[in-house]
Amino acid sequence: MIIKNPQKLNEIIGQDTKKISAWVDSPVKKPLLIHGPTGVGKTSSAYALAKEKNLEIIELNSSDLRNKENIKKIIGIASQQQSLFGKKKLILIDEVDGISGRSDYGGLAELSRIIGDSKHKIILTANDVSDSKFSTLRKKCDLVEFRYVDYLQIFELLKNLCEKNKIKFEEKQLKNLARKNNGDVRASLLDLAGSIVDGKINADTSEREYAKNIEETLRLVFKSKDANILINAFSDSDEDLDEIFLWLDENLDKEYSGKDLIRAYNVLSKADVYRGRILRRQYYRLMVYQSELMSAGIALSKDEKKNGFVQYKRPSRILKMWIAKNRNSKRKSIAEKLAKITHSSSKKVYKDFGILVNFLKDDKIVDELELDDDEIKWLRGNV
Amino acid sequence: MQDSSIWIEKFRPRKFEDIIGQEVIVRRIKAFVESKNIPHLLLAGPPGVGKSTIALVIAKELFGENWRDNFLELNASNDRGIDVVRNTIKDFARTKSIGNAPFKIILLDESDSLTRDAQQALRRTMEQYSSTCRFVLSCNYSSRILDPIQSRCTIFRFKPLSKEEINKIIDRISKEEKLKVDEKARDALVYVSSGDARRLENVMQSCNIIDKKITEELVYEIVSAAKPKEIKEILEFAVDGKFSHAKEKLLDVMLKHGLSGLDIIKQIQGEIWNLKIPDNKKIELVDKCGEIEFRMVEGSDEYVQLEALIASFMKNER
């Protein structure tokens, strides 16, 4: 079976391609940066656009050397010249996040500098431009985000293809094919092509495993609303639930606001209740509930997705707690000494430290508590 | 002789007659001591109402000057796993008392924080060595003590000190330390100590460092410095929809002051009624607050639980 690339923008499924048509028709020179997960139609959109608008496409992808000189040469020249046949040009710089730091030395900086000068329209694609090294590029471009595609839309696509090619199928088979790649259209198409034997679909096709990194997992949860994809979101990730839990906590308020945020925190706190129960009872089956609340639960807490780019932050809480613990270690040791001679609990003394600190500095008391030099210094300097 | 410069020690009662409050309990325990025999005791009640003081007075009255030889005190800052019960406590309990003391006394402060296993071990030890040793257990909540231990003890329930009793302590200390405490300052001290003599004395000693003349303002200044007012700010951020600010501040406050989630939630609950939000929303939040506090007691992650609580303070409209 031959799978044709999309010939028109509106053949791209599951993405908002109107933005792209609007962009190409507008006189604005700003380049377009399409970012999103693998296999959802970023490059295909550029080609479909070129076809539709009769543009000559000049592509620079990761198989080309993309150092400073090369980028300048190819894009620089192409962007200034008129096309041979009077056709307008569309420059496609594919996979910009694949520009290597070493062999493509200086490439990214040159690219960020040069793209503003072009006479032609430029489209860039990338999986993930969350790294700060792309910040200049992000500012210079119009961003369009592509997302994982709902499995039912993929299913419709596969079904059309099978019908056109007169391939026998059961709906369930196609739904499985559509679902198991977590919204990656290309993977599903390839799987379909690979599973056709003698004009019909052979059910046992190999699973594609995607070890998504944690940011992709997060993005999936925050940006998607497809429960079927979501309930498996964490099974494809290498990170454990506790790690994801911290990431969600750190980044929730960057993606959600208002009612959505209230709901999402409600869900996260319930997932946490399960986490606590698992720890207490050592009953690990409850992880199912924790996991589904953290994935589908968080995702479905939103009324609408927040558009635009969000850079996720590494959880900072554990580090901050560690620093504070070190900072508070003197407070703790002094509290213990005081507790001992006053028949009190050191926890209580530690808590009431703010009241006590006024008179603890007193010379007589410092002697009575037998504080060491470090403790005295901390007490007099720090509080 | 008490030569401590820390007031809670300096003014700790040394005889039954000096103890303020808890009259019935004092009378009964005094009777035990006069008969030179006491049962195992379980002293339950909030902090700063005289539990440890009574235990110490018992030892001093029974054992005289060398009371420390026959008295072992273990508080929650010591390691309190089952090993302590099996080793430290057992070693002390099984040896004969020194001098002509009839038995030894072990004071286990905050015994409700003993692990279940440790309590189980303790139960046997109490029985085995009751001829040579008596246990005085103190705790905040007797419900956290295993039934078999409770049944081996005579239980006394302590109450927070009354306004009159707190005032007696204020009189005693201000006379001794030559403090001037006006009527309003008295009321303030009564209010902030909420029946806890230890807290009262700590606040008074802090005031004393600043000024011998204690005023209402001084009392509240001392106490509010210790009680971060940031909690109110956190909630106001949340009400205004600035959740990220609130969240960041929450973590900072907890770490800076070494506060636990439970410390924070108590203050949040106290603040709810001061916020500028509709009353029916307040009721909703009180309910939510209770739920979150319960979850934390049950071992949930205090940060996420508090964040969820704070999120619900936000106005619902976008």
Side-chain angles (χ1 to χ4, degrees):
Chain A
M1 188 181 81
I2 300 156
I3 298 165
K4 267 181 147 180
N5 280 324
Q7 304 294 302
K8 284 181 189 154
L9 263 183
N10 63 15
E11 289 176 36
I12 303 278
I13 60 165
Q15 311 296 350
D16 184 10
T17 51
K18 282 192 204 97
K19 264 192 190 164
I20 301 177
S21 339
W23 168 81
V24 80
D25 291 333
S26 80
V28 179
K29 282 274 165 58
K30 229 175 169 186
L32 189 72
L33 173 56
I34 308 176
H35 65 100
T38 317
V40 297
K42 299 183 298 294
T43 309
S44 296
S45 296
Y47 275 92
L49 179 72
K51 264 249 159 68
E52 208 177 328
K53 301 280 175 185
N54 196 23
L55 305 168
E56 181 188 0
I57 208 159
I58 295 170
E59 182 181 343
L60 196 59
N61 63 38
S62 58
S63 62
D64 308 308
L65 185 64
R66 297 195 287 191
N67 59 21
K68 187 175 168 181
E69 276 69 33
N70 235 15
I71 284 185
K72 207 166 165 180
K73 201 169 86 199
I74 295 170
I75 310 224
I77 293 167
S79 62
Q80 301 302 327
Q81 277 179 351
Q82 282 298 314
S83 175
L84 212 56
F85 307 105
K87 254 186 179 181
K88 280 191 177 165
K89 283 179 194 154
L90 177 67
I91 298 168
L92 172 63
I93 306 166
D94 222 356
E95 301 163 64
V96 279
D97 47 351
I99 292 180
S100 150
R102 199 171 301 156
S103 56
D104 295 341
Y105 183 76
L108 192 58
E110 181 63 18
L111 183 63
S112 307
R113 206 179 60 76
I114 210 167
I115 49 172
D117 304 330
S118 173
K119 284 188 175 159
H120 302 279
K121 294 274 184 179
I122 299 180
I123 290 183
L124 305 99
T125 73
N127 286 139
D128 183 2
V129 284
S130 59
D131 197 288
S132 60
K133 69 180 178 189
F134 295 115
S135 58
T136 318
L137 200 60
R138 289 201 303 264
K139 269 178 226 144
K140 289 207 169 180
C141 299
D142 283 326
L143 297 187
V144 170
E145 193 196 356
F146 272 23
R147 302 187 180 105
Y148 291 106
V149 177
D150 188 299
Y151 89 97
L152 284 174
Q153 280 180 285
I154 302 180
F155 164 70
E156 287 298 333
L157 179 73
L158 300 181
K159 197 173 145 190
N160 283 339
L161 268 171
C162 287
E163 282 166 356
K164 253 186 221 160
N165 289 280
K166 301 201 169 55
I167 288 160
K168 285 182 191 158
F169 63 91
E170 290 167 33
E171 290 215 341
K172 209 177 132 197
Q173 292 175 319
L174 292 185
K175 277 193 178 160
N176 281 337
L177 282 171
R179 194 180 286 154
K180 74 179 188 192
N181 291 307
N182 297 328
D184 179 337
V185 183
R186 178 171 51 207
S188 289
L189 287 169
L190 291 174
D191 280 352
L192 173 66
S195 64
I196 296 166
V197 181
D198 298 330
K200 65 179 179 198
I201 292 174
N202 183 345
D204 299 317
T205 47
S206 68
E207 281 291 325
R208 246 171 227 270
E209 289 291 336
Y210 282 105
K212 278 187 243 96
N213 71 28
I214 199 152
E215 288 204 44
E216 281 179 52
T217 308
L218 238 58
R219 195 149 282 137
L220 179 64
V221 170
F222 287 142
K223 302 288 193 192
S224 170
K225 284 191 83 166
D226 184 338
N228 289 305
I229 294 176
L230 284 159
I231 50 171
N232 293 316
F234 299 153
S235 58
D236 295 338
S237 171
D238 289 337
E239 311 292 338
D240 64 34
L241 274 185
D242 287 345
E243 182 72 15
I244 299 172
F245 180 80
L246 288 172
W247 278 81
L248 285 171
D249 175 33
E250 180 78 39
N251 292 296
L252 207 49
D253 54 313
K254 296 187 176 59
E255 285 280 10
Y256 292 0
S257 56
K259 265 185 189 161
D260 294 354
L261 185 65
I262 299 175
R263 277 196 293 253
Y265 255 113
N266 208 357
V267 170
L268 189 66
S269 71
K270 280 189 179 143
D272 174 50
V273 169
Y274 282 107
R275 191 196 56 82
R277 288 175 182 165
I278 294 164
L279 282 180
R280 234 179 11 266
R281 297 289 175 94
Q282 302 288 305
Y283 181 64
Y284 287 95
R285 223 201 81 75
L286 293 178
M287 276 175 87
V288 180
Y289 304 103
Q290 188 195 352
S291 169
E292 289 182 3
L293 283 170
M294 278 164 60
S295 52
I298 299 274
L300 298 175
S301 299
K302 58 183 168 282
D303 280 336
E304 53 192 88
K305 309 174 216 186
K306 185 172 168 182
N307 285 321
F309 177 78
V310 173
Q311 180 157 14
Y312 298 133
K313 256 178 75 188
R314 181 168 288 285
S316 58
R317 193 216 292 178
I318 305 288
L319 180 67
K320 281 186 187 163
M321 283 165 75
W322 182 79
I323 292 171
K325 200 178 151 205
N326 282 344
R327 206 190 303 128
N328 289 335
S329 68
K330 292 282 169 284
R331 174 172 170 168
K332 199 173 166 216
S333 65
I334 296 171
E336 272 165 13
K337 287 182 176 175
L338 182 62
K340 206 164 180 193
I341 61 168
T342 60
H343 312 278
S344 318
S345 114
S346 58
K347 262 192 240 154
K348 185 106 199 331
V349 174
Y350 183 89
K351 217 182 276 179
D352 286 342
F353 212 81
I355 296 177
L356 307 169
V357 73
N358 298 298
F359 63 80
L360 287 181
K361 295 178 197 170
D362 189 87
D363 285 338
K364 264 196 233 155
I365 293 177
V366 164
D367 284 348
E368 194 178 338
L369 292 174
E370 296 175 356
L371 299 184
D372 63 33
D373 289 347
D374 284 348
E375 287 164 343
I376 296 169
K377 220 192 261 167
W378 179 84
L379 196 57
R380 295 195 170 144
N382 218 329
V383 192
Chain B
M1 230 280 290
Q2 252 149 343
D3 53 2
S4 177
S5 25
I6 300 161
W7 288 10
I8 51 176
E9 279 314 300
K10 190 175 182 179
F11 296 104
R12 187 185 292 282
R14 277 159 280 175
K15 292 178 292 191
F16 285 120
E17 293 72 42
D18 296 340
I19 295 175
I20 292 171
Q22 324 296 350
E23 272 111 16
V24 180
I25 295 173
V26 170
R27 222 183 299 143
R28 286 187 58 195
I29 289 182
K30 200 178 165 208
F32 282 133
V33 169
E34 279 163 358
S35 72
K36 295 283 178 199
N37 196 7
I38 62 164
H40 297 312
L41 300 174
L42 177 58
L43 313 178
V49 296
K51 303 186 296 297
S52 298
T53 295
I54 284 196
L56 290 165
V57 170
I58 293 172
K60 285 170 193 166
E61 296 266 332
L62 276 174
F63 307 148
E65 211 172 305
N66 297 323
W67 60 277
R68 283 179 194 276
D69 296 340
N70 290 308
F71 185 80
L72 174 68
E73 180 182 358
L74 290 171
N75 65 31
S77 36
N78 301 86
D79 180 24
R80 307 253 296 222
I82 189 164
D83 289 344
V84 177
V85 176
R86 285 188 176 149
N87 302 320
T88 319
I89 293 182
K90 226 167 155 179
D91 284 347
F92 183 81
R94 69 177 159 207
T95 52
K96 207 184 161 309
S97 52
I98 295 164
N100 45 13
F103 43 76
K104 294 178 170 183
I105 292 177
I106 296 181
L107 170 60
L108 271 176
D109 248 339
E110 288 176 83
S111 48
D112 42 356
S113 72
L114 282 173
T115 63
R116 233 186 133 76
D117 287 346
Q119 290 195 34
Q120 286 292 0
L122 185 63
R123 157 191 178 183
R124 283 295 299 143
T125 313
M126 286 172 79
E127 232 159 34
Q128 250 175 323
Y129 302 109
S130 62
S131 61
T132 52
C133 186
R134 299 292 188 281
F135 284 84
V136 180
L137 311 179
S138 83
C139 65
N140 293 140
Y141 306 101
S142 61
S143 59
R144 290 200 204 138
I145 306 288
L146 293 184
D147 283 346
I149 291 184
Q150 291 199 38
S151 81
R152 285 169 174 75
C153 297
T154 305
I155 304 177
F156 292 100
R157 296 184 198 284
F158 288 61
K159 288 191 219 72
L161 301 183
S162 69
K163 187 181 172 183
E164 289 70 34
E165 288 158 352
I166 290 285
N167 265 311
K168 275 187 200 164
I169 301 177
I170 296 174
D171 287 339
R172 189 184 284 177
I173 292 177
S174 41
K175 194 177 157 204
E176 192 82 16
E177 297 291 332
K178 303 183 174 59
L179 298 174
K180 273 188 185 163
V181 188
D182 66 30
E183 215 39 52
K184 274 187 174 172
R186 261 173 198 282
D187 288 346
L189 284 169
V190 169
Y191 177 73
V192 302
S193 59
S194 50
D196 174 345
R198 188 186 280 129
R199 188 171 167 84
L200 169 74
E201 292 170 16
N202 281 331
V203 173
M204 287 181 79
Q205 186 166 14
S206 272
C207 293
N208 171 62
I209 286 284
I210 295 165
D211 198 340
K212 286 269 173 199
K213 190 170 171 285
I214 297 181
T215 61
E216 185 187 14
E217 290 76 31
L218 184 54
V219 171
Y220 284 120
E221 194 190 308
I222 294 278
V223 175
S224 69
K227 178 181 168 182
K229 41 187 168 297
E230 285 107 319
I231 299 295
K232 196 171 179 213
E233 270 178 70
I234 292 171
L235 297 183
E236 282 166 355
F237 274 140
V239 170
D240 290 348
K242 293 174 190 155
F243 178 79
S244 300
H245 284 78
K247 176 179 162 185
E248 198 176 321
K249 186 120 202 173
L250 172 73
L251 184 60
D252 285 352
V253 168
M254 289 178 74
L255 296 180
K256 191 170 133 212
H257 301 281
L259 297 171
S260 71
L262 289 174
D263 299 331
I264 298 280
I265 204 152
K266 276 180 213 156
Q267 295 192 34
I268 291 181
Q269 172 253 319
E271 279 299 336
I272 289 177
W273 296 98
N274 301 331
L275 290 171
K276 288 185 187 103
I277 46 177
D279 282 351
N280 54 356
K281 171 98 179 167
K282 287 177 187 172
I283 288 292
E284 221 174 86
L285 289 171
V286 168
D287 180 30
K288 179 101 189 171
C289 214
E291 169 69 21
I292 297 289
E293 181 165 348
F294 176 68
R295 288 181 188 176
M296 289 198 291
V297 175
E298 294 270 285
S300 293
D301 182 291
E302 45 187 36
Y303 292 96
V304 166
Q305 294 302 336
L306 285 173
E307 282 158 13
L309 177 61
I310 284 169
S312 57
F313 276 75
M314 289 195 293
K315 285 181 193 125
N316 274 341
E317 72 270 20
R318 289 189 161 267

